[in-house]
């Protein structure tokens, strides 16, 4: 995977460029009304406090590698002919403690032999994985990298806990990043990452179940995401008014609105999908990118400011000038192989 092996010649204008995007959501929709049948809550409380109306929940036979493989296949299909030398998978819910889930996903995608490893940074996982991918490319270790974020986050929840069950959902998103030129659309700006382990107890898994201190997390999330986003925008030499689309980790609609307001980005430039999918942890940002590209919210040339926050604590932000890509919807129509992915575990995806 050295520069020599991949024929990589590095130059001063090299950049990592997004050249493919895809996502996959499990079909089962769980509405707020469904939750009210088993939790002491109301549809109105959930929607008013979180902005969430429904979330997707994977059935018990579906693994994180199933979700990741499907999203990864779609991202690869949107970057036709692109050979990747690494698969980086961000997840909080790997299929097993050991080995990592990424090698299995790579094999099922027909990528046996490439580098494959997991990254764990909870809801900031996608940005950590993206930074890793851009680093692999910048150092000449890879020409192109498949970055996937996949979560079966609902498996971490206490089914009787009304403070967490309404918030989270399952899903996966992915991008393909390749070596490119810094002037090209799709270039990933500097990725700013941070952490504060002193506050690890605000979000953690204890006695087998996910727990979080909602109010403290809320405050930290707004502060850290706004701060990181400001740094990323400044590094790209963008002012607030230059930002065409703000992509905030979908933790809570009120958190995203507060981040947008801190940054001074108007509401109509703020992309969201939390209402339909809830918080899908690491997968949140690439699912939102994939859906927004598909439904025309993200347009080629848009200056996109991306920011995320999660357990650890961890946070991060970057910028992307959105490229022209084939979307998942177009692929569903055109690429029969994607539509035929086997939902069962272990089946290779062509
Ligand atoms: N239905 C009804 N009432 C609920 C409820 C539910 N689903 N969940 C909590 N409540 C109750 C609480 O028990 C509490 O009752 P009390 O006042 O009698 O003690 C009351 O609502 C307020 O609880 P609180 O936790 O303070 O509510 P909140 O307005 O802060 O909203 C969150 C809770 C979790 C929605 C909110 O704090 C949040 O979104 N925080 C950020 C979470 C986040 O971003 N997580 C992801 C990080 S990556």
């Amino acid at each position: 995977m050295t520069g020599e092996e991949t024929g990589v010649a590095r130059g001063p204008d090299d950049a990592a460029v997004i050249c493919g995007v895809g996502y996959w959501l499990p079909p089962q929709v769980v509405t707020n009304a469904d939750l009210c049948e088993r939790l002491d809550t109301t549809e109105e409380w959930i929607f008013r406090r979180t902005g969430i109306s429904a979330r997707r929940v994977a059935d018990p036979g579906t693994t994180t590698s199933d979700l990741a493989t499907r999203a990864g296949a779609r991202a690869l299909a949107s970057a036709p002919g692109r050979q990747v030398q690494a698969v980086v998978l961000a997840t909080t819910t790997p299929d097993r403690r050991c080995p990592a889930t990424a090698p299995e996903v790579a094999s099922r995608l027909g990528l046996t032999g490439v580098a494959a490893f997991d990254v764990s940074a909870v809801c900031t996982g996608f940005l950590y994985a993206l930074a890793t991918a851009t680093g692999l490319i910048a150092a000449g270790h890879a020409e192109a990298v498949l970055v996937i974020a996949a979560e079966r986050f609902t498996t971490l929840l206490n089914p009787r806990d009304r403070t967490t069950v309404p918030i989270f959902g399952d899903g996966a998103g992915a991008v393909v990043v390749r070596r490119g030129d810094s002037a090209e659309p799709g270039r990933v700006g500097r990725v700013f990452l941070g952490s504060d382990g002193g506050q690890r107890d605000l979000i953690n898994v204890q006695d087998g179940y996910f727990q979080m201190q909602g109010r403290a997390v809320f405050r930290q999330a707004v502060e850290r995401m706004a701060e990181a986003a400001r740094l990323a925008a400044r590094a790209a030499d963008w002012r607030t008014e230059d930002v065409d689309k703000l992509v905030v980790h979908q933790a809570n609609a009120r958190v995203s609105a507060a981040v947008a307001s801190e940054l001074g980005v108007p509401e109509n430039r703020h992309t969201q999908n939390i209402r339909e999918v809830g918080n899908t942890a690491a997968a949140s940002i690439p699912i939102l990118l994939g859906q927004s590209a598909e439904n025309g919210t993200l347009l080629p040339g848009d200056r996109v400011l991306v920011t995320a926050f999660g357990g650890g604590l961890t946070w991060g932000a970057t910028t992307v000038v959105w490229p022209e890509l084939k979307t998942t919807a177009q692929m569903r129509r055109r690429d029969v192989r994607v539509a035929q992915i086997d939902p069962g575990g272990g089946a290779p995806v062509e």
Side-chain angles (χ1 to χ4, degrees):
M1 212 175 59
T2 62
E4 210 174 312
E5 284 168 42
T6 56
V8 174
R10 281 186 284 148
D13 287 336
D14 276 357
V17 167
I18 293 179
C19 62
V21 68
Y23 68 92
W24 197 80
L25 293 165
Q28 187 192 174
V29 176
V30 175
T31 64
N32 290 352
D34 296 330
L35 293 183
C36 291
E37 287 173 15
R38 53 182 201 263
L39 290 170
D40 178 18
T41 188
T42 62
E43 290 180 61
E44 200 258 339
W45 192 97
I46 299 170
F47 184 67
R48 192 168 45 82
R49 306 305 293 166
T50 69
I52 300 168
S53 292
R55 68 289 295 147
R56 301 295 187 91
V57 176
D59 65 49
T62 301
T63 59
T64 291
S65 57
D66 293 332
L67 303 176
T69 302
R70 285 166 178 252
R74 288 184 169 178
L76 288 170
S78 90
R82 181 67 50 191
Q83 301 290 316
V84 301
Q85 290 79 43
V87 174
V88 185
L89 171 65
T91 186
T92 320
T93 52
D95 286 0
R96 59 193 82 76
R97 193 175 286 183
C98 177
T101 305
E104 178 179 339
V105 173
S107 283
R108 290 175 62 188
L109 289 168
L111 299 171
T112 301
V114 308
F117 56 97
D118 293 358
V119 163
S120 176
V122 201
C123 300
T124 321
F126 174 73
L127 285 182
Y128 270 77
L130 184 66
T132 306
T134 62
L136 288 171
I137 290 168
H141 299 316
E143 178 73 4
V145 180
L146 175 60
V147 180
I148 310 175
E151 300 280 19
R152 284 218 55 208
F153 212 84
T154 58
T155 58
L156 297 178
L157 308 177
N158 176 346
R160 289 176 298 283
D161 184 357
R162 70 176 183 170
T163 69
T164 56
V165 169
I167 294 174
F168 294 94
D170 300 327
V175 296
V176 179
V177 190
R178 66 162 168 81
R179 177 178 310 283
D181 190 276
S182 61
E184 272 187 86
R187 72 176 180 274
V188 179
R190 183 168 161 197
V191 187
F192 286 82
L193 299 173
S195 76
D196 179 2
Q199 302 202 66
R200 63 189 174 279
D201 291 342
L202 292 189
I203 297 175
N204 63 13
V205 174
Q206 251 177 28
D207 304 323
Y209 288 127
F210 177 88
Q211 297 175 358
M212 90 183 150
Q213 296 176 35
R215 288 200 176 178
V217 169
F218 195 112
R219 276 194 303 275
Q220 284 286 326
V222 174
E223 204 175 293
R224 297 301 192 178
M225 284 197 278
E227 188 182 299
R230 267 190 216 104
L231 291 172
R234 199 174 303 144
D237 214 11
W238 295 354
R239 293 158 303 162
T240 300
E241 52 269 41
D242 297 328
V243 174
D244 296 308
K245 300 287 155 42
L246 179 64
V247 171
V248 179
H249 164 57
Q250 300 290 283
N252 179 320
R254 292 186 297 135
V255 169
S256 309
V259 172
S261 151
E262 283 274 319
L263 294 170
V265 174
E267 186 115 342
N268 62 356
R269 298 189 195 169
H270 182 194
T271 59
Q272 300 193 56
N273 65 356
I274 193 164
R275 186 175 183 142
E276 297 82 27
V277 303
N279 179 346
T280 54
S284 166
I285 296 233
I287 293 172
L288 182 54
L289 291 177
Q291 287 187 327
S292 302
E294 185 176 273
N295 65 26
T297 305
L298 280 185
L299 297 170
D302 272 354
R303 285 156 297 190
V304 186
L305 180 58
V306 183
T307 186
F309 174 88
L313 300 177
T314 55
W315 57 85
T318 194
T319 55
V320 182
V321 176
W322 196 249
E324 181 127 32
L325 298 175
K326 270 208 297 173
T327 67
T328 311
Q330 290 164 338
M331 286 183 290
R332 264 193 221 113
R333 290 193 292 273
R334 289 191 209 148
D335 194 325
V336 178
R337 287 175 310 166
V338 171
Q340 286 178 340
I341 291 168
D342 180 349
V349 176
E350 287 174 29

